């Protein structure tokens, strides 16, 4: 057996319907097997909270090492995982096809699925995963919802912390009553017929819950940029991709989300449209996670596989247009430069630094690229018990963004960007720019002014 592996990583299917998947004894044995490998390797010591917690447990257990650690103590390791996927994709030498077949993130998914099967998910935590309902309701009263969620609101945030377990200091997404889907329907864009890609591509933008309800400017910028590049676009949103349910171990909910979205997007694929996911987390779900979780005999399995082949991440898609057809004229520089955070779920797609490649297409690029976890981890990072840890994990990212001294701060992740900005302010940075998505900067380089409204 080789020490480590130089082969391309691959992932095994998650057979979550098998009773052994949530069996306490089988799961404990697998955790001990994987944790023993991890503590002997320790390459992931600086990725997140999970690994330092594991190593401390082992180091404090005395000569018995892992054998002396009680199984109940493993919960703190699982609770520290944000499911960023970086240990699997960028650090671990023992992932499949290595015979040891370590997949730490999916083991943590299994732990959460077992915990859910054993004792359920707390009501308040469960409600956080209902993103479509939450976005729809909050959008109806957006000014009031945004006021109540505003950091520093001493009237509402302590109540929200007590009722929902959301840390009072954690920055929360804003809501828009005029969603991206509604604005796209009401505000048509003209496709640039002089662009090299004109007539060669059509794309349907999968709006995602984050963009649709909270950051429509990302979708508006994406649609405007693609129109400038000659791409005819449509916008569709059959529902949330299920990433929040994955974080809670609700794999049946993930499979149901996959069925709804795959079937909703299938007619567009039938018409020859590419599918472009506007958020890396959602692209990862469509391209990678769903095919690993939807049962082989599920009625929607074929639609899921077809969607995975048709889907591209937004930055990935723009770069591909530049390589294959070429860009439209009119790009100008962005004076002041950009501190660019590469989202963990973009890295987990194994597509390279596509956001950086895209911004380097702009004349006179001035980039500081930050390739490290922001610490946010979706709904994980705003919870009362996790938010201080999220700031600590993201401290190196915030520090590098602050010292870069750039005019713009950008992240592909709509949650990571504000979290990095918050980390910069917490560290006392003098000037913290509003975080943007790279596509918004690309739109600005084309002279396109996108306003959320």
């Amino acid at each position: 057996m080789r020490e480590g592996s130089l082969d391309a990583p691959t992932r095994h299917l998650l057979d979550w319907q098998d009773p052994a998947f949530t069996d306490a004894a089988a799961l404990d044995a697998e955790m001990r097997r994987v944790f023993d490998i991890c503590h002997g390797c320790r390459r992931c010591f600086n990725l997140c909270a999970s690994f330092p917690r594991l190593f401390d447990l082992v180091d404090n257990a005395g000569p018995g090492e892992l054998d002396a650690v009680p199984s109940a103590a493993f919960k703190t390791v699982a609770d520290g995982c944000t499911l960023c996927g970086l240990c699997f994709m960028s650090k671990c030498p023992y992932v499949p096809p290595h015979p040891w077949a370590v997949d730490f993130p999916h083991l943590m998914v299994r732990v959460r699925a077992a915990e859910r099967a054993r004792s359920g998910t707390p009501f308040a935590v469960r409600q956080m995963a209902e993103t479509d309902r939450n976005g729809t309701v909050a959008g109806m009263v957006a000014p009031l919802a945004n006021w109540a969620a505003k950091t520093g609101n001493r009237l509402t945030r302590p109540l929200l912390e007590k009722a929902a377990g959301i840390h009072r200091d954690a920055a929360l997404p804003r809501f828009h009553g005029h969603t991206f889907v509604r604005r796209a329907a009401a505000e048509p864009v003209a496709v640039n017929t002089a662009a090299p890609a004109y007539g060669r591509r059509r794309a349907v933008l999968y709006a995602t819950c984050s963009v649709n309800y909270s950051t429509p400017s990302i979708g508006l910028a994406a649609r405007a940029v693609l129109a400038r590049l000659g791409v005819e676009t449509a916008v569709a949103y059959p529902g949330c991709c299920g990433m929040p349910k994955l974080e809670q171990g609700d794999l049946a909910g993930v499979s149901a989300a996959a069925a709804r979205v795959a079937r909703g997007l299938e007619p567009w694929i039938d018409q020859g449209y590419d599918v472009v996911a506007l958020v890396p987390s959602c692209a990862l779900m469509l391209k990678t996670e769903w095919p690993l979780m939807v049962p082989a005999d599920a009625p929607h399995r074929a639609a899921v596989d077809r969607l995975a082949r048709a889907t591209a991440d937004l930055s990935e898609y723009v770069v591909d247009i530049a390589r294959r057809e070429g860009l439209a004229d009119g790009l100008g520089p962005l004076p002041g430069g950009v501190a660019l955070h590469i989202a963990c779920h973009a890295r987990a797609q194994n597509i390279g630094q596509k956001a950086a490649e895209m911004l380097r297409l702009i004349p006179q690029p001035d980039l500081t690229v930050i390739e490290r976890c922001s610490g946010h981890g979706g709904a994980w990072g705003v919870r009362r018990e996790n938010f201080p840890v999220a700031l600590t994990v993201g401290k190196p990212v915030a520090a590098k963004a602050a010292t870069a001294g750039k005019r713009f701060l950008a992240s592909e992740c709509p949650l990571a960007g504000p979290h990095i900005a918050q980390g910069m302010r917490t560290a006392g940075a003098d000037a913290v720019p509003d975080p943007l998505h790279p596509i918004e900067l690309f739109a600005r380089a084309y002279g396109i002014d996108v306003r959320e409204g």
Side-chain angles (χ1 to χ4, degrees):
M1 180 186 297
R2 289 184 294 173
E3 177 66 25
S5 176
L6 296 178
D7 297 317
T10 186
R11 303 195 93 156
H12 294 161
L13 297 177
L14 277 177
D15 191 6
W16 54 272
Q17 294 181 315
D18 186 338
F21 190 79
T22 55
D23 178 77
L27 179 55
D28 186 70
E30 179 62 5
M31 280 196 289
R32 290 185 177 276
R33 183 188 78 83
V34 171
F35 289 176
D36 187 50
I37 295 169
C38 290
H39 105 81
C41 173
R42 305 206 174 196
R43 287 187 63 184
C44 292
F45 73 96
N46 64 345
L47 281 186
C48 66
S50 287
F51 296 101
R53 290 176 181 181
L54 170 61
F55 304 150
D56 285 347
L57 286 175
V58 175
D59 293 342
N60 294 331
E65 293 192 326
L66 187 64
D67 289 341
V69 178
S71 297
F74 292 157
K75 177 174 170 49
T76 185
V77 178
D79 287 348
C81 179
T82 66
L83 300 184
C84 72
L86 291 190
C87 56
F88 182 94
M89 188 54 64
S90 68
K91 287 281 189 179
C92 184
Y94 303 119
V95 300
H98 190 279
W100 288 353
V102 173
D103 189 334
F104 192 93
H106 278 179
L107 177 59
M108 296 301 100
V109 169
R110 183 178 173 186
V111 170
R112 293 178 187 179
E115 185 176 3
R116 179 184 178 88
R118 182 174 63 253
S119 54
T121 303
F123 176 79
V125 175
R126 230 172 34 244
Q127 302 319 301
M128 293 177 67
E130 300 299 329
T131 55
D132 289 324
R133 182 205 60 196
N134 297 344
T136 299
V137 173
M140 294 177 180
V141 290
L144 178 61
N146 293 333
W147 170 81
K150 188 175 181 180
T151 305
N153 189 325
R154 297 183 180 181
L155 177 64
T156 58
R157 287 304 297 266
L159 295 175
L160 186 61
E161 181 177 272
K162 185 175 182 180
I166 297 174
H167 197 287
R168 67 186 65 188
D169 295 328
L172 298 177
R174 292 175 56 81
F175 290 98
H176 292 260
H178 207 30
T179 64
F180 171 50
V181 170
R182 289 178 182 173
R183 289 196 61 176
E187 302 170 17
V189 294
V191 178
N192 180 10
T193 58
Y198 177 71
R200 300 189 179 189
R201 294 180 185 242
R202 294 189 297 172
V204 57
L205 307 184
Y206 173 51
T208 77
C209 61
S210 178
V211 171
N212 191 45
Y213 301 117
S214 296
T215 52
S217 61
I218 296 174
L220 296 170
R223 195 174 61 133
V225 165
L226 290 176
R228 182 67 62 89
L229 298 180
V231 181
E232 175 192 335
T233 60
V235 176
Y237 183 59
C240 175
C241 71
M243 174 63 82
K245 293 183 181 293
L246 176 64
E247 294 172 356
Q248 297 178 6
D250 181 7
L251 301 187
V254 173
S255 183
R260 181 170 59 252
V261 176
R263 288 170 175 161
L265 293 176
E266 192 167 31
W268 297 101
I269 300 174
D270 288 341
Q271 297 174 58
Y273 280 73
D274 304 318
V275 178
V276 179
L278 299 180
V279 175
S281 298
C282 307
L284 181 67
M285 292 294 285
L286 272 60
K287 293 164 69 175
T288 303
E289 297 290 4
W290 285 357
L292 295 173
M293 295 179 186
V294 173
D297 58 352
H300 57 288
R301 177 70 209 203
V304 165
D305 289 340
R306 193 176 177 206
L307 177 58
R309 294 190 296 268
T311 297
D313 185 86
L314 175 56
S315 299
E316 176 187 22
Y317 194 67
V318 173
V319 169
D320 192 61
I321 292 173
R323 287 179 175 175
R324 294 178 183 273
E325 288 92 13
L327 298 176
D329 295 335
L331 275 175
L334 291 173
V338 182
L340 172 65
H341 169 250
I342 305 295
C344 295
H345 285 162
R347 297 176 65 187
Q349 294 176 58
N350 199 25
I351 56 176
Q353 296 181 348
K354 287 296 180 284
E357 291 182 44
M358 182 176 72
L359 292 184
R360 288 192 181 107
L361 297 171
I362 297 173
Q364 304 169 33
D366 179 12
L367 286 183
T368 294
V369 178
I370 307 170
E371 195 176 54
R372 185 163 177 164
C373 183
S374 74
H376 192 281
W380 181 94
V382 302
R383 293 196 52 75
R384 179 174 48 223
E385 64 272 22
N386 295 333
F387 178 65
V389 180
L391 283 179
T392 299
V393 172
K395 192 173 181 179
V397 177
K400 188 169 183 179
T403 57
K406 304 301 184 184
R407 178 185 175 191
F408 298 103
L409 171 65
S411 175
E412 301 159 285
C413 176
L415 297 176
H419 183 69
I420 295 167
Q422 188 168 19
M424 294 169 68
R425 286 189 291 270
T426 301
D430 293 333
V432 180
D434 291 333
L436 298 170
H437 189 284
I439 199 67
E440 294 176 280
L441 293 176
F442 206 74
R444 290 191 184 195
Y446 265 126
I448 300 170
D449 183 18
V450 172
R451 300 183 187 276
E452 289 192 340

